[in-house]
Amino acid sequence: MPDDSNNRESDSNNPRHIAIIMDGNGRWAQKRFMPRAVGHQAGVKAVRKIVEYCVTHKVEVLTLFAFSSENWRRPTAEVSLLMALFMATLQREINKLDRNNIRLRFIGDRTEFSDKLQQKMAEGEAQTENNTAMTLIVAANYGGHWDMCQAFQQVAAKIAAGELQNQVISEQLISQHLSTAGLPDPDLFIRTGGEQRVSNFMLWQLAYAEMYFTTTLWPDFDQNSLEDAIKSFKSRQRRFGHTSEQVLNKAVTL
Ligand code: IPE
Ligand code: IPE
Ligand code: MG
C-alpha cells in the first residue's frame, strides 16, 4: 500500500498547500510594448498580493516557482535582471514576511547563485525559521529532476555509510529526502499564462494535486483569480484511487 498520508486534505476542504507556476510576465510586458523586465517587476507585485491572500485565508504552504533550472538558458541580460530582482525583493520583503509571521524557505540548487544571494537566502530562512502563520516556499533554480536526484544521492550516501539497508527504500523514505520533506504535498497546482505543462516543477510532489490552468498572465493574477482557482478546487471530488461512491458514502477516509 503506497504511503500517501502527505496527500490528505484538511477537513475544511481548503487546499493546505498551493503550488503556482507564475508564468506570463514576458508576454504581459510585450503586450504593452515594454521590455520583459517590466513584466517581471509587475510579477513581483502580484506575488505580494497572493502571499497576503494566502496568509489571511490560512493556507499552510504556498510554493511559488520563481526560476527553473532551465531558465539559465534565457539571454544573459534577462538572467542578470532576474537575479538582481530576486536580490532586491529579498532585501525589501524579508522583514515584512517576518512581521507577518511567515516562514520563508527556498528549494532548488542554490549553489549556482552568487555568494551574496546565497547569504541573503540563508539569512531570510534563519530569520523566519520559527514563524507559524504560513510557509512560503520559493523555488529558485529548482527542477523536479534535480529534486529527485539529490534525494537519491542522499539515500545512496546513507546506504554507503551503512545507515540504511537497500530493502528499506520506500516511497516515504524518498519523500523524506526531497526538498519539501516534512511538508504536505500540493493539493492545488496553478499555472498562469496559458501553457498547460508542468515544466519540471515538483514532479514527485504533484502526484495527486488538482491541476488548474488559466490564460491570465501572472502580473494580472489577483485575489479574485486565486479565489476562482480555489472555487474550482473545492468543486472537485478527490478520490485517491477510490470510486466516487466510496467517497460519497464516506466508506473511506481520504
Ligand atoms: C515567468 O514568466 C517568469 C519566469 C520564468 C522567471 P515568463 O518570463 O516565462 O513569461 P513569458 O512566458 O515569456 O510570457
Ligand atoms: C516555468 O516557466 C518556470 C517559472 C515560472 C519560473 P517557463 O516560462 O520558463 O516555462 P517553459 O519553458 O515555457 O515551459
Ligand atoms: Mg514563460
Side-chain angles (χ1 to χ4, degrees), residues 21-27 36 40 71 74 191-193 195 197 199:
I21 298 189
M22 311 182 288
D23 197 16
N25 292 349
R27 279 164 287 164
R36 295 174 58 86
H40 293 310
N71 285 144
R74 294 190 175 200
R191 183 172 187 145
T192 62
E195 312 298 348
R197 53 181 176 248
S199 299

Side-chain angles (χ1 to χ4, degrees), residues 1-2 4 7-8 207-208 210 237-247 252 254:
M1 195 48 195
D4 56 359
N7 291 319
R8 300 306 185 222
Y208 254 110
E210 295 295 328
Q237 185 190 52
R238 301 184 84 188
R239 290 194 279 275
F240 298 103
H242 299 290
T243 66
S244 186
E245 288 69 26
Q246 284 177 299
V247 177
V252 287
L254 292 180

Side-chain angles (χ1 to χ4, degrees), residues 104 110 130 210 213 229:
L104 178 64
R110 60 182 83 186
N130 298 316
E210 295 295 328
F213 298 98

Side-chain angles (χ1 to χ4, degrees), residues 188-191 210-214 221 225 228-229 232 236:
L188 171 59
F189 162 93
I190 299 171
R191 183 172 187 145
E210 295 295 328
M211 315 298 271
Y212 182 86
F213 298 98
T214 170
F221 192 84
S225 324
D228 287 346
S232 166
R236 303 179 192 188

Side-chain angles (χ1 to χ4, degrees), residues 12-55:
S12 69
N13 208 27
N14 270 321
R16 293 175 64 189
H17 183 171
I18 301 179
I20 309 181
I21 298 189
M22 311 182 288
D23 197 16
N25 292 349
R27 279 164 287 164
W28 184 91
Q30 280 159 348
K31 257 175 56 180
R32 290 164 175 75
F33 306 102
M34 295 202 277
R36 295 174 58 86
V38 177
H40 293 310
Q41 277 154 0
V44 174
K45 289 194 186 146
V47 167
R48 215 173 285 135
K49 282 189 254 166
I50 295 309
V51 170
E52 260 169 41
Y53 180 96
C54 286
V55 80

